[in-house]
């Protein structure tokens, strides 16, 4: 995360746009059903957030794939985890582009012949080459395809109307995925950079929660506090493993911390799954 | 610019439409998935009879396929019982194109999970385990429930959230582009670079014209940014005459940048205010089609005589931008209208295409042929096409149950 903050992620104009709807929060009294129109501004705001993340992803993927194609193993390894964070941050809505998600982020075991499968492409195929085989040999076509898929994703997002139920539901869906599979360290099994992904996943889910939180009534105050406390717990654990330029490898996570993390993620998944219903999108 | 917006009428305010309030809470044309969290489902892996009597469909995933691999269910709430009979963890998804409607991930070998989804009529695909495995199909047939919804007269209010949000994003981006474009234009004016200022006049207006469908919602700024001379007592000499057309008059009629610096600064301040104002627009759904229809009609009825850019003759550039802004709105609403009025959806697509093609014939270099070179017959033909398009757009709100 520190790396990203120091990087130029776009024009000042864009940053100003990103704050565009900050002052349009609508307060809803206790128990009032949420007016559908009140959801418009946070959905719009979320799309602007995603657009910014995808812009970062395009820039970072270009640098990453350039390093792969230049045969610079050390640089490519160093860029692998930071490049992925903007993708992981928008993973709550990966269901909206499932074909590209499979091309960009599927794991070897989604494919019949695992690492040997010609359909295994994207970040994790390149990760396998870089970290397992310690080489960029044969990776250039995968680098080109990843870049093309990321550019297609940017195009797709630009013209996509975001379905509000998918946006609101996405916060829980991603936490469920972390709880069910990612927590085992399966995602970045060759590089063990899972903590980078986790931070981005939590940030991405939390963004959704924060955008819609103002629409919740006073009756939901306890719910809001509980969700915020669990996000804080998760952040605190991840903070322990931060290094100067990112995170320690996943195997450094102690059993005790993994347990706390796992419990918090499960609770977040459970709690956030009620958000759609609370906002009238059940 | 809206020729009718002289010194400002109060911004239009409408009561919330009856349709918006209508209790179509009885669920969605859109697919709305069941709200059972993954891990809850996984904890209650064994199948139980559900209350409400909804259908339960069992799907068995083997190593290579789903059994059965073609399903047919009635629209409405459906529960699927997914049995993993393969030797690896699998996921099962219902897809609408590339969008996942509902899924269960990480079903362990030998285990069963259930998934509940509210489905609209249509054909979906289902995934079965590995990405390379052949996909199955899920046919959802119309049911009493889905027919009742159609009869209820339009999509439920939640169906408009997505289009309204997407339009809000569009306005945000266009208003930012307006600030940028006006910045470049005014910089040239203030630098005394007459040729460059003239060249940047029409491009600077494009984003403003694209936002035309909502111009009535900030009539005060519209008057400051885009009013024509005839709305002021002393016409071009009137100190109240500001904005794009005041600059246009200086540049094209006076052939000079003299005295325009202050007008330029005011334009920049006004477009900056507009950008702020756009953030707080809270549009009712019926305002989308109504606004888009109005601006197209205004070209046909009023701007067709070239009076809007009477000094620069850059009207065709404005027309194209207005049409693009209207099309954005129609493109957002068409998916909602298509199932309810397929003829209208097709008419709109065809008529937009025709008008766009008609305008494209006048492209020249980066811009357009000057409008004073377009003859009366051609103008009349264009007006007819635009009027027909506006008439089709006028049917949109009715089709959506919004009028
Ligand atoms: Cu991922």
């Amino acid at each position: 995360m520190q790396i990203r903050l120091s990087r130029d992620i776009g024009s000042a104009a864009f940053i100003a746009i990103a704050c565009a709807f900050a002052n349009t929060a609508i307060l809803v009294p206790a128990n009032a059903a949420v007016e559908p129109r009140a959801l418009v501004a946070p959905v719009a705001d979320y799309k602007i957030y995603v657009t910014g993340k995808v812009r970062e992803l395009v820039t970072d993927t270009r640098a990453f794939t350039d390093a792969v194609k230049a045969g610079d193993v050390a640089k490519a390894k160093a860029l692998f985890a930071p490049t992925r964070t903007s993708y992981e941050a928008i993973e709550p809505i990966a269901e909206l582009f499932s074909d590209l998600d499979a091309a960009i982020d599927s794991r070897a075991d989604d494919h019949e012949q695992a690492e040997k499968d010609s359909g295994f492409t994207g970040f994790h195929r390149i990760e396998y080459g870089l970290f397992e085989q310690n080489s960029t040999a044969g990776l250039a076509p995968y680098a080109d395809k990843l870049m093309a898929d990321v550019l297609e994703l940017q195009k797709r997002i630009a013209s996509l109307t975001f379905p509000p139920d998918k946006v609101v539901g996405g916060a829980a869906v991603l936490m469920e995925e972390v709880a069910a599979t990612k927590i085992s360290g399966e995602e970045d099994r060759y590089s063990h950079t899972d903590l980078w992904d986790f931070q981005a996943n939590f940030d991405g889910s939390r963004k959704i929660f924060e955008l819609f939180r103002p629409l919740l009534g006073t009756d939901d105050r306890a719910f809001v506090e509980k969700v915020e406390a669990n996000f804080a717990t998760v952040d605190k654990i991840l903070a322990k493993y931060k290094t100067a330029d990112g995170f320690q490898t996943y195997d450094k996570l102690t059993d005790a911390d993994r347990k706390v993390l796992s419990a918090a993620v499960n609770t977040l998944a459970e709690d956030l799954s009620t958000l759609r219903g609370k906002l009238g999108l059940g | 610019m809206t020729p009718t917006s002289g010194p400002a009428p109060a911004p239009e305010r409408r009561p919330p439409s009856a349709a918006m309030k209508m209790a179509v809470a009885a669920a969605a044309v859109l697919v709305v998935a069941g709200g059972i969290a993954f891990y809850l489902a996984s904890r209650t892996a064994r199948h139980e009879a559900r209350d409400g009597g909804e259908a339960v469909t069992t799907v068995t995933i083997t190593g290579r396929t789903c059994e059965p691999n073609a399903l047919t269910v009635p629209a409405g709430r459906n529960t699927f019982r997914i049995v993993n009979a393969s030797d690896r963890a699998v996921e099962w998804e219902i897809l609408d194109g590339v969008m996942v409607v509902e899924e269960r991930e990480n079903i362990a070998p030998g285990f069963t999970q259930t998934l509940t989804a509210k489905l609209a009529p249509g054909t979906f695909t289902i995934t079965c385990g590995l990405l390379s495995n052949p996909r199955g199909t899920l046919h959802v047939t119309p049911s009493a429930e889905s027919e009742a919804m159609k009869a209820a007269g339009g999509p439920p209010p939640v169906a408009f959230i997505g289009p309204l949000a997407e339009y809000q994003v569009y306005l945000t981006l266009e208003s930012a582009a307006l600030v940028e474009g006006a910045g470049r234009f005014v910089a040239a004016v203030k630098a005394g670079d007459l040729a460059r200022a003239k060249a940047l006049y029409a491009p600077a207006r494009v984003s403003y014209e694209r936002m035309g469908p909502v111009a009535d919602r900030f009539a005060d700024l519209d008057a400051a940014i885009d009013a024509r001379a005839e709305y002021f007592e002393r016409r071009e000499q009137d100190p109240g005459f500001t904005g794009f057309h005041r600059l246009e008059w200086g540049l094209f009629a006076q052939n000079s940048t003299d005295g325009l610096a202050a007008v330029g600064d005011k334009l920049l301040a006004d477009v900056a205010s507009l950008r702020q104002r756009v953030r707080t627009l809270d549009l009712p759904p019926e305002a989308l089609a109504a606004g888009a229809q109005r601006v197209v009609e205004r070209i046909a009825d009023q701007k067709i005589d070239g009076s809007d850019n009477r000094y620069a003759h850059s009207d065709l550039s404005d027309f194209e931008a207005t049409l693009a802004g209207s099309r954005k709105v129609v493109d957002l609403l068409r998916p909602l209208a298509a199932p309810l009025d397929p003829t209208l959806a097709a008419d709109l697509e065809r008529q937009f295409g025709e008008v766009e093609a008609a305008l494209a014939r006048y492209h020249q270099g980066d811009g357009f042929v000057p409008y004073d070179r377009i003859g009366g017959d051609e103008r009349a033909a264009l007006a007819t096409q635009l009027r027909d398009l506006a008439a089709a757009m006028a049917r949109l709100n009715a089709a959506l149950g919004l009028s």
Side-chain angles (χ1 to χ4, degrees):
Chain A
M1 279 286 119
Q2 294 94 323
I3 285 182
R4 320 197 63 75
L5 289 175
S6 64
R7 201 177 305 165
D8 176 24
I9 60 160
S11 66
F14 186 81
I15 291 162
I17 291 172
C19 308
F21 301 103
N23 54 357
T24 59
I26 296 156
L27 291 171
V28 174
N31 283 331
V34 176
E35 264 288 326
R37 255 165 74 188
L39 297 166
V40 170
V43 171
D45 232 348
Y46 183 65
K47 173 151 184 185
I48 286 167
Y49 168 81
V50 169
T51 304
K53 287 290 170 192
V54 172
R55 179 188 289 208
E56 266 180 65
L57 178 66
V58 167
T59 307
D60 294 350
T61 302
R62 194 170 314 273
F64 172 60
T65 54
D66 282 352
V68 169
K69 291 174 73 178
D72 190 339
V73 176
K75 187 174 179 192
K77 278 182 168 178
L79 292 179
F80 172 74
T83 300
R84 289 177 48 71
T85 54
S86 41
Y87 187 79
E88 293 293 310
I90 63 163
E91 235 179 8
I93 53 154
E95 290 187 355
L96 297 178
F97 41 86
S98 63
D99 57 333
L100 288 172
D101 188 42
I104 292 170
D105 200 33
S106 67
R107 325 286 202 265
D109 40 27
D110 291 322
H111 304 273
E112 190 173 4
Q113 301 185 47
E115 281 85 357
K116 304 275 167 276
D117 202 299
S118 63
F120 178 40
T121 62
F123 276 118
H124 298 301
R125 176 62 185 84
I126 297 174
E127 180 198 8
Y128 171 67
L130 292 175
F131 292 88
E132 191 74 15
Q133 307 187 308
N134 205 30
S135 162
T136 57
L139 294 183
Y142 296 111
D144 285 338
K145 176 155 171 38
L146 176 62
M147 191 67 233
D149 288 335
V150 163
L151 287 170
E152 171 63 20
L153 175 64
Q154 184 174 44
K155 220 172 93 193
R156 199 88 73 78
I157 291 290
S159 61
L160 187 66
T161 296
F162 282 20
D165 58 333
K166 287 289 176 195
V167 171
V168 172
V173 167
L174 181 57
M175 291 298 97
E176 284 156 19
E177 195 193 328
V178 174
T181 55
K182 291 181 178 221
I183 195 84
S184 71
E186 57 82 33
E187 176 145 26
D188 303 297
R189 65 191 66 172
Y190 320 109
S191 63
H192 309 294
T193 54
D194 305 81
L195 293 179
W196 294 73
D197 284 17
F198 284 10
Q199 183 75 64
N201 289 160
F202 292 127
D203 291 349
S205 279
R206 190 178 200 161
K207 179 76 189 178
I208 293 171
F209 172 70
E210 284 173 354
L211 285 172
F212 291 91
R213 182 181 52 196
L215 303 183
L216 297 171
T218 50
D219 277 13
D220 284 316
R221 193 168 294 157
F223 165 81
V224 167
E225 279 168 9
K226 189 176 166 212
V227 169
E228 282 172 345
N230 277 307
F231 273 125
T233 300
V234 158
D235 269 357
K236 215 163 106 191
I237 289 182
L238 290 181
K240 289 204 232 170
Y241 297 92
K242 274 190 178 154
T243 62
D245 54 4
F247 286 94
Q248 295 178 43
T249 51
Y250 195 51
D251 49 293
K252 302 290 193 309
L253 193 73
T254 65
D255 280 350
D257 281 343
R258 189 186 298 225
K259 264 191 197 133
V260 178
L261 199 59
S262 173
V265 176
N266 271 293
T267 313
L268 279 171
E270 190 171 347
D271 289 342
L272 290 173
S273 72
T274 65
L275 202 52
R276 263 175 45 169
K278 287 179 190 299
L279 294 171
L281 297 169
Chain B
M1 155 66 189
T2 59
T4 49
S5 70
E12 180 182 1
R13 241 164 230 276
R14 294 164 194 224
S17 85
M20 188 78 189
K21 303 237 138 170
M22 233 162 54
V24 204
V29 162
L30 296 175
V31 176
V32 182
I36 304 169
F38 162 80
Y39 52 91
L40 278 181
S42 65
R43 273 184 215 151
T44 55
R46 83 210 143 75
H47 171 63
E48 284 165 44
R50 313 242 138 198
D51 28 34
E54 72 216 32
V56 178
T57 307
T58 299
V59 180
T60 303
I61 300 175
T62 65
R64 290 229 157 230
T65 184
C66 290
E67 297 278 344
N69 208 30
L71 306 169
T72 302
V73 301
R77 265 177 105 76
N78 275 280
T79 295
F80 298 89
R81 195 172 155 263
I82 304 125
V83 183
N84 183 1
S86 77
D87 58 2
R88 57 167 99 205
V90 295
E91 65 176 356
W92 189 77
E93 297 173 325
I94 301 172
L95 288 167
D96 181 4
V98 299
M99 187 180 97
V100 179
V101 174
E102 189 58 69
E103 67 182 342
R104 280 289 165 269
E105 290 187 52
N106 204 29
I107 310 170
F111 279 74
T112 296
Q113 285 190 20
T114 56
L115 171 161
T116 300
K118 193 173 267 177
L119 297 168
T123 301
F124 302 85
T125 50
I126 51 179
T127 64
C128 302
L130 291 169
L131 290 169
S132 53
N133 285 351
R135 292 180 171 182
T137 55
L138 170 63
H139 295 284
V140 181
T141 54
S143 64
E145 190 185 339
S146 66
E147 290 305 300
M149 188 141 56
K150 220 167 155 184
V158 292
F160 293 98
I161 299 169
L164 284 166
E166 181 58 23
Y167 192 57
Q168 182 75 272
V169 172
Y170 180 77
L171 292 175
T172 302
L173 296 175
E174 289 301 333
S175 63
L178 172 65
V179 168
E180 261 182 54
R184 277 192 297 272
F185 169 54
V186 170
V189 169
K190 292 174 74 175
D193 189 339
L194 183 64
R196 185 170 159 79
K198 281 181 172 179
L200 290 176
Y201 169 73
R205 293 178 52 74
V206 165
S207 287
Y208 191 77
E209 292 299 312
R210 286 185 188 157
M211 296 165 71
V214 291
D216 285 5
R217 291 183 177 260
F218 35 81
D220 56 333
L221 287 173
D222 188 40
I225 292 169
D226 205 30
R228 307 159 170 195
E230 69 256 35
Y231 291 110
F232 300 92
E233 193 182 353
R234 298 174 52 211
R235 303 189 57 96
E236 281 87 354
Q237 310 300 330
D238 201 295
F241 179 41
T242 61
F244 276 118
H245 296 301
R246 173 66 183 81
L247 293 168
E248 181 201 2
W249 180 67
L251 296 173
F252 293 89
Q254 310 296 108
N255 208 31
S256 162
T257 57
D258 286 355
L260 296 183
V263 186
D265 283 338
K266 175 155 173 25
L267 175 65
L268 293 186
D270 289 333
V271 295
S273 303
L274 176 59
R275 185 174 167 192
Q276 298 295 322
R277 200 83 73 80
V278 161
R279 296 175 190 178
T280 54
L281 274 184
D282 176 23
L283 296 172
E286 66 273 18
L288 293 178
Q293 186 262 340
R294 194 169 49 234
V295 292
V296 170
E297 199 169 64
R298 263 184 204 147
I299 300 179
D301 292 348
Q302 299 167 43
K303 300 183 178 186
I304 200 73
D305 64 0
S307 55
D308 212 25
N309 297 286
R310 67 188 59 177
Y311 322 109
H313 308 298
S314 57
D315 303 270
L316 289 171
S317 168
D318 278 20
F319 295 175
E320 184 185 60
T322 302
L323 270 179
S326 292
R327 185 189 252 287
K328 178 72 189 178
V329 168
V330 171
D331 284 349
L332 289 173
L333 297 175
R334 198 189 305 105
L336 295 178
L340 302 161
D341 190 343
T343 314
L344 174 59
D347 284 354
L348 284 168
E349 185 55 37
R350 180 178 47 77
Q351 286 178 286
F352 261 110
E354 284 169 9
V355 181
E356 284 160 356
L359 281 180
R361 286 186 291 137
Y362 302 118
H363 272 142
Q364 187 181 73
D366 291 342
F368 281 92
V369 174
Y371 196 60
D372 52 350
R373 299 232 302 265
I374 309 296
D377 289 353
E378 285 173 88
R379 291 182 182 191
L382 190 59
T384 303
Q385 279 185 315
L386 288 163
R387 223 167 267 128
D388 288 349
L389 174 61
M393 289 166 78
R395 288 152 56 202
L396 201 45
N397 271 346
L400 293 168
L402 292 173
S403 56

